[in-house]
Amino acid sequence: MDYLLLDADCGLCSRTGWFISKRLRDDKLTITELDSEQGQKIVDALPQKMKDADSLYLVRNGKPYMLSSAAIRTLLYLPIWWKIMYPIAWIIPLPIRNFAYRILARNRRRLFPLK
């Protein structure tokens, strides 16, 4: 089972989880909150350097991903027209992707408030 861990106190994360869950084609991905019991068990099993990141997490085939790598790999669970975006997004160099991710993550509560 693969897991996507999202921040429940974030409007962007909540909307993203809803968007993904409506488009999932199989039961291979479980979307859960970081603060849930299941989410905390998964985070506790992560390497120490990943535990403190302000990020969404994706555990795919037992391997954890965070920041832009997690976000982009999430496209692989969606219908084909979303999967097509995966190689396009992946060619952007990691430092640039993560820089953009961090800016969005730092401002997500202000830009996307919970309703």
Side-chain angles (χ1 to χ4, degrees):
M1 179 64 65
D2 297 343
Y3 296 94
L4 179 64
L5 287 84
L6 300 169
D7 182 358
D9 296 330
C10 166
L12 177 61
C13 298
S14 296
R15 291 180 191 121
T16 299
W18 179 85
F19 178 87
I20 293 168
S21 67
K22 295 295 181 191
R23 287 157 180 81
L24 287 175
R25 296 288 183 228
D26 56 29
D27 294 335
K28 190 171 183 188
L29 181 67
T30 299
I31 300 171
T32 190
E33 298 174 358
L34 279 166
D35 294 337
S36 70
E37 186 177 324
Q38 182 181 30
Q40 282 304 300
K41 283 171 85 174
I42 294 168
V43 170
D44 289 343
L46 294 174
Q48 186 59 44
K49 68 178 183 173
M50 294 180 86
K51 288 181 184 182
D52 300 327
D54 186 18
S55 177
L56 66 90
Y57 298 95
L58 175 69
V59 178
R60 181 175 167 85
N61 298 324
K63 185 172 180 184
Y65 300 95
M66 62 183 208
L67 301 173
S68 66
S69 297
I72 291 171
R73 280 186 173 87
T74 302
L75 293 169
L76 297 173
Y77 295 95
L78 300 176
I80 189 70
W81 49 88
W82 291 100
K83 287 180 184 178
I84 291 170
M85 293 174 56
Y86 175 80
I88 296 166
W90 203 250
I91 63 171
I92 299 169
L94 181 65
I96 294 170
R97 288 190 336 242
N98 281 344
F99 177 75
Y101 181 93
R102 285 186 180 108
I103 290 173
L104 183 62
R106 192 174 315 129
N107 296 294
R108 71 185 188 267
R109 287 187 176 89
R110 183 175 51 83
L111 296 172
F112 303 95
L114 282 173
K115 293 188 178 195

